[in-house]
Amino acid sequence: MTAPSWDLSIAYQSLRDDKIEQDIELIKQCILVLEQHVTRRENTSVMQNAIQTKEAAGKLLSTIDTFALCHASRDATNGEAKALIGKLAKLRSELSQAYTPYQETLAFAPIEDIQEILDHESGDVYGQAFQIACERKVADTKLSVAEEQLLSAMSVDGRDAWGRMYDNITGSLQIELESGETLAYSQAASLLYGTKFTEQEQAWRGIQKAMATHQESFAAILNALSGWRHSEYQKRSLHRDVHFLDSSLHQSRIQASTLDTMIETTKRNRHIGQQAGQLMARVHGLSEMKPWNHMAGMPSLTEQEPKVYTFEEAISLIREAFAQVDQEMAEFVTLMVENGWIDAEPTPNRRLGAYCTKFAATRTPLVFMTWGGSRSDMLTLAHELGHAFHNWVMRDMPLCQTRYPMTLAETASIFAENIVRDYLLSKAQSDQEQLEMLWEELSSAYALMINIPVRYEFEKAFYQRRLEGELSAEQLCQLMSETWQEWYGESMSEPDPYFWASKLHFSISEISFYNYPYLFGYLFSKGVYAQREAKGENFYGDYVQLLRDTGCMMAEDVVERHLGMDLSEAEFWQQSIDMLAQKLAQFEALLSLHEQSH
């Protein structure tokens, strides 16, 4: 089996499928219905119908958007896909504007009126209870209906246009290597994750050069996005000051005390993340890691070339690992492959990274990545299949109850990685193989306990300084380098000054602080994973229920219900870090034995 490509026919046959235009017309009709009944919002049935209408339109819109995104991911130069995405962005804004008056009613109406509205047989209506409760908490930051509508309309060609600009630049960017070879940006970036160690430095330097060439554009994007948000938060501060982290905390469904405790505990333990990097450097035969190899696979400790997996081998191993938890998880992997719901075929002009999405209309999970054959690729595939499984176990729930926050979104994905890592470790038949499996623990620790906090603290400092004015590309490079040094310490030889430009996450227009939820998910999933042995046969059912609760509970409540712990206490985070420290000690002991015997 070669790396597969998607079969998207469950949604539409092609970007020119007549059904797309038919569904767009249905969305427009839904918008018209919302506009026509807006003056009758005091009527309970009108409100119930409005919720159902908005959910129906949103489901169609999301499905078409996902379909277009899938095509744009395979080919970032696909003009038809990009045009459709732009068209849908405008339509989404129109739907949002049409529903804004109803949102105002739900935010400010007496609680007894809300309860009457929610008393309905449709899951699209009664399932809204948690979402409405969350929105009522921030009702005092809402603008007037007219202002909210204007903001939504302006976002399409204002805020979101900057995000599209980043995607367009990086999607068509060509990276020139010192050898004279030219690669697409996604291909050059993927080299940094593999085991072609002799090519990694020139790939990284090629990316640095490309970022420097476009630094003014990338700096303009960051400054525009942050400036837009600061202006919006200022306007929303009529009744109380809205901090630039408030929106992210609201979307992540966590309290500020939880975030502060997690970051503080991680910072106190950053020597553990640095230790992971120093052990990795030792294997590379270096005194410290380099910015071009800290994401790479493990160098072979023998004369053998690093293992390259076929896609079929990786799927087989992931399936076997998932079966250790429950056969249902293994069968799900088979389902994903057989239905063509995974796209991993290396193609030209392919978008960066990996992700999981879904067709809202059919609840079909979809996985995207670029297959290179490394162990890191296999764990990336397991990670995205974890996301897909999370969506799959919620498929019978009202769609509005499946919109989990990013903090909890990483639970199933990192859990899946842990399953595969431990399975490979249990199958290892030599010290060398055990070291290879534990390497992935080191790599994850270095990435999630060091690199993710770098992103968070850089972005936080940037937003603080952005209040005083725009930052130049040079200032952004300096800020990134300082933050990098503070967290990496002596474990890395030099900073990655253009990381603010090369990392897509900083330029996502719809969401800020697309970073700390990864650390949350990493440490939280380790806490969940630790329950496997304690709960025994009861674990799988409890785990699935935990995933199903993620769309309708605050993160703190999920942890209290399923783990009986308090996220605002350092103890929760420390227990997961201590588990990680044990893995590092195991790796170091095995490495010392290997070094002594060679």
Side-chain angles (χ1 to χ4, degrees):
M1 179 196 298
T2 56
S5 55
W6 275 318
D7 176 4
L8 304 175
S9 59
I10 194 170
Y12 303 102
Q13 298 305 309
S14 72
L15 287 167
R16 298 182 181 181
D17 191 334
D18 290 341
K19 191 171 184 299
I20 291 178
E21 283 305 318
Q22 291 166 9
D23 285 349
I24 287 175
E25 285 304 312
L26 284 174
I27 296 167
K28 290 178 179 178
Q29 287 299 314
C30 287
I31 293 170
L32 190 60
V33 167
L34 289 170
E35 291 172 342
Q36 287 173 339
H37 294 91
V38 72
T39 58
R40 299 177 56 224
R41 284 174 287 147
E42 74 286 348
N43 185 292
T44 297
S45 62
V46 168
M47 287 299 298
Q48 291 169 335
N49 288 333
I51 292 171
Q52 290 176 287
T53 301
K54 187 258 184 183
E55 285 292 312
K59 193 179 296 183
L60 284 175
L61 203 156
S62 176
T63 301
I64 304 169
D65 196 40
T66 297
F67 187 77
L69 172 69
C70 289
H71 282 276
S73 296
R74 280 187 58 82
D75 180 5
T77 66
N78 188 320
E80 279 186 287
K82 288 195 286 187
L84 181 55
I85 290 169
K87 182 178 182 178
L88 293 169
K90 187 173 185 298
L91 198 58
R92 183 180 293 105
S93 173
E94 291 171 0
L95 176 61
S96 174
Q97 291 172 63
Y99 191 65
T100 296
Y102 300 94
Q103 281 184 306
E104 183 190 49
T105 299
L106 294 171
F108 293 103
I111 192 64
E112 54 269 22
D113 290 357
I114 300 300
Q115 290 168 345
E116 191 175 335
I117 291 168
L118 292 172
D119 185 17
H120 193 275
E121 62 183 11
S122 169
D124 285 343
V125 179
Y126 73 71
Q128 299 282 340
F130 176 70
Q131 304 284 348
I132 292 171
C134 287
E135 289 306 308
R136 287 172 74 88
K137 288 179 184 177
V138 294
D140 59 350
T141 69
K142 297 294 184 183
L143 304 174
S144 69
V145 169
E147 287 171 321
E148 291 286 358
Q149 290 174 325
L150 178 63
L151 187 62
S152 179
M154 296 291 288
S155 292
V156 178
D157 294 314
R159 182 197 66 187
D160 296 345
W162 291 103
R164 293 196 298 273
M165 178 181 176
Y166 183 89
D167 291 341
N168 291 338
I169 293 173
T170 55
S172 58
L173 202 59
Q174 296 294 303
I175 306 299
E176 296 179 11
L177 307 184
E178 292 175 2
S179 63
E181 186 181 2
T182 300
L183 297 175
Y185 182 26
S186 60
Q187 293 173 316
S190 69
L191 280 174
L192 304 181
Y193 290 88
T195 52
K196 296 180 179 179
F197 306 113
T198 57
E199 298 177 29
Q200 285 170 346
E201 181 176 359
Q202 61 170 328
W204 181 77
R205 295 202 181 281
I207 291 171
Q208 292 287 298
K209 184 178 178 182
M211 294 302 116
T213 300
H214 294 276
Q215 65 177 356
E216 296 304 325
S217 296
F218 291 134
I221 291 168
L222 255 62
N223 279 301
L225 289 174
S226 56
W228 175 287
R229 290 174 184 136
H230 277 316
S231 296
E232 179 183 336
Y233 303 151
Q234 184 181 18
K235 295 295 183 185
R236 293 189 182 281
S237 297
L238 187 62
H239 301 291
R240 63 177 168 89
D241 287 341
V242 176
H243 190 268
F244 57 76
L245 270 168
D246 286 355
S247 175
S248 175
L249 291 168
H250 177 67
Q251 289 174 329
S252 295
R253 294 193 202 138
I254 62 171
Q255 303 294 328
S257 57
T258 291
L259 175 58
D260 291 343
T261 302
M262 179 182 72
I263 295 296
E264 287 165 9
T265 308
T266 304
K267 198 160 196 172
R268 281 199 305 273
N269 289 273
R270 68 184 181 274
H271 63 279
I272 292 175
Q274 292 171 358
Q275 181 192 358
Q278 287 160 343
L279 287 169
M280 291 164 70
R282 209 163 122 188
V283 176
H284 276 284
L286 302 168
S287 57
E288 68 270 298
M289 292 298 280
K290 311 290 184 183
W292 52 83
N293 70 357
H294 67 104
M295 298 177 291
M298 179 178 169
S300 176
L301 294 174
T302 65
E303 296 302 316
Q304 295 178 339
E305 288 293 312
K307 166 76 173 169
V308 176
Y309 296 87
T310 64
F311 186 83
E312 187 172 30
E313 286 173 328
I315 282 292
S316 179
L317 283 166
I318 292 169
R319 191 162 39 212
E320 290 168 15
F322 281 16
Q324 302 299 301
V325 179
D326 194 271
Q327 190 58 37
E328 192 173 69
M329 286 188 72
E331 290 168 0
F332 169 72
V333 175
T334 302
L335 184 75
M336 288 291 294
V337 174
E338 290 182 348
N339 286 338
W341 295 345
I342 303 173
D343 194 300
E345 179 190 13
T347 52
N349 301 316
R350 197 171 179 82
R351 76 156 263 177
L352 291 172
Y355 66 83
C356 174
T357 186
K358 68 181 176 187
F359 287 137
T362 57
R363 303 297 185 90
T364 307
L366 299 164
V367 163
F368 177 86
M369 68 168 297
T370 302
W371 186 252
S374 68
R375 188 176 292 108
S376 176
D377 285 334
M378 177 162 57
L379 289 170
T380 296
L381 179 57
H383 180 103
E384 300 306 335
L385 285 169
H387 281 307
F389 181 74
H390 193 167
N391 288 328
W392 188 247
V393 300
M394 302 175 91
R395 67 191 182 280
D396 63 320
M397 297 169 62
L399 189 63
C400 57
Q401 290 187 337
T402 68
R403 296 172 185 137
Y404 45 76
M406 202 183 145
T407 38
L408 298 175
E410 293 306 314
T411 306
S413 54
I414 298 175
F415 179 83
E417 282 189 60
N418 285 329
I419 293 169
V420 174
R421 275 200 207 98
D422 278 4
Y423 178 71
L424 293 174
L425 189 59
S426 71
K427 303 289 282 185
Q429 297 183 5
S430 65
D431 289 351
Q432 161 79 9
E433 286 187 29
Q434 288 186 60
L435 283 167
E436 288 175 359
M437 300 311 126
L438 286 167
W439 172 273
E440 301 302 337
E441 287 281 2
L442 268 66
S443 182
S444 290
Y446 205 37
L448 291 155
M449 284 196 64
I450 301 294
N451 193 266
I452 292 298
V454 165
R455 301 181 201 182
Y456 169 72
E457 294 220 320
F458 163 82
E459 191 163 11
K460 187 179 178 183
F462 165 58
Y463 268 76
Q464 194 64 51
R465 288 175 59 177
R466 181 65 180 83
L467 286 167
E468 301 164 12
E470 293 192 1
L471 276 71
S472 66
E474 183 180 358
Q475 289 173 312
L476 289 165
C477 285
Q478 182 180 355
L479 180 58
M480 177 56 75
S481 296
E482 289 169 357
T483 313
W484 193 277
Q485 180 59 39
E486 182 182 6
W487 279 86
Y488 278 99
E490 295 181 359
S491 72
M492 190 170 288
S493 62
E494 61 185 278
D496 186 340
Y498 282 103
F499 190 63
W500 60 269
S502 62
K503 194 64 196 176
L504 157 71
H505 293 173
F506 295 119
S507 297
I508 296 175
S509 63
E510 296 87 355
I511 185 170
S512 58
F513 290 90
Y514 197 98
N515 38 57
Y516 68 80
Y518 283 101
L519 175 60
F520 183 106
Y522 176 63
L523 296 177
F524 175 54
S525 67
K526 285 200 168 293
V528 173
Y529 192 68
Q531 301 292 309
R532 269 187 76 189
E533 190 173 341
K535 291 188 175 182
E537 291 182 359
N538 294 326
F539 173 77
Y540 179 70
D542 289 351
Y543 173 61
V544 169
Q545 188 55 53
L546 182 153
L547 295 181
R548 288 170 65 87
D549 281 345
T550 55
C552 53
M553 293 179 77
M554 294 291 288
E556 288 85 0
D557 295 333
V558 171
V559 170
E560 185 178 357
R561 169 185 268 192
H562 293 280
L563 301 178
M565 298 191 77
D566 184 349
L567 285 184
S568 65
E569 297 291 334
E571 179 190 0
F572 176 83
W573 308 105
Q574 191 65 52
Q575 66 166 2
S576 294
I577 294 171
D578 290 345
M579 289 167 57
L580 171 62
Q582 292 173 9
K583 295 282 189 182
L584 300 191
Q586 188 180 354
F587 182 92
E588 186 168 19
L590 283 168
L591 182 59
S592 295
L593 280 174
H594 176 84
E595 290 170 341
Q596 289 168 15
S597 62
H598 288 75

